[in-house]
Every structure is written in C-alpha cells, then in structure tokens.
Amino acid sequence: MSSVGEIACTYAALILHDDGIPITAEKISTLLKAANLTVESYWPSLFAKLCEKRNIDDLIMNVGSGGGGAAVAAAAPAGGASVGAAAAPAVEEAKEEESKEESDDEDLGFSLFD
C-alpha cells in the first residue's frame, strides 16, 4: 500500500518534469508545501535521487510493461532447474493472455483511433 508521502512526491516529481524544471528535493518540498501537504522528510530526497539516476520519460512510457516476468526470470538462476521449469509455463501463460487480449480487440470491428 502506498503512503500519502510517496504519492505526493510522485506527483510533485511529475509536475516538475512536465514543466522542464530539474527535480530536486528542495523543489519537491516546495511543491508539497504549496499543496499544504506534510510528508516525512526522507521522501523528497529519495525521489530526487531516483529522478537523478533514471530517465523519467522512460519510467512513464514503461508503466504498464509487464514487470512480473522480469522477477520470475531473476529468480530462476538462484532457484535452480526446478524454478526455471516452473517459470517457463508462466511465461507461456503471459504470452497466451497477450494474444488473447489482442484477438479480443480485433473482434470489435473498430479501433479507438478510427
């Protein structure tokens, strides 16, 4: 479950990024004060450090790109062959779901962008 501080800092970082302003802990704190929000002191600096190391545009564009598959793949080498064998059906299931969703969209006969 997300805390108010985490969500508030997320929105503040997105606002700063959208306006083209460098994301710093001080600027996040300023936005939070302007919104009359009080958060733990570590949240703004934590988000500022994250934004320094990561490209915000990439994070925004990859929000819905199945992060679950990577966790399974990362666990496979540590767990041995039995975990790797269990991971293969999970990946196949994900591919089947993807293709099923695509076929459902095609059956409608119209597109959102037509």
Side-chain angles (χ1 to χ4, degrees):
M1 204 164 192
S2 298
S3 73
V4 173
E6 183 179 1
I7 294 170
C9 287
T10 300
Y11 284 129
L14 288 172
I15 290 168
L16 291 170
H17 175 73
D18 189 49
D19 288 341
I21 299 170
I23 301 169
T24 64
E26 181 180 296
K27 291 181 182 177
I28 291 173
S29 296
T30 302
L31 271 176
L32 296 176
K33 286 178 187 174
N36 200 23
L37 291 170
T38 310
V39 299
E40 289 87 3
S41 61
Y42 61 86
W43 281 117
S45 60
L46 185 69
F47 272 82
K49 287 178 185 177
L50 169 82
C51 294
E52 284 178 7
K53 296 179 181 180
R54 300 292 306 261
N55 184 349
I56 303 302
D57 290 324
D58 288 342
L59 290 173
I60 293 169
M61 296 302 290
N62 294 321
V63 166
S65 64
V72 172
S82 62
V83 174
V91 172
E92 289 177 17
E93 275 185 33
K95 288 180 183 178
E96 288 176 13
E97 286 180 23
E98 248 180 60
S99 63
K100 184 179 179 182
E101 287 176 10
E102 289 173 7
S103 65
D104 288 346
D105 291 341
E106 292 170 2
D107 294 337
L108 294 176
F110 65 91
S111 172
L112 180 65
F113 300 107
D114 283 342

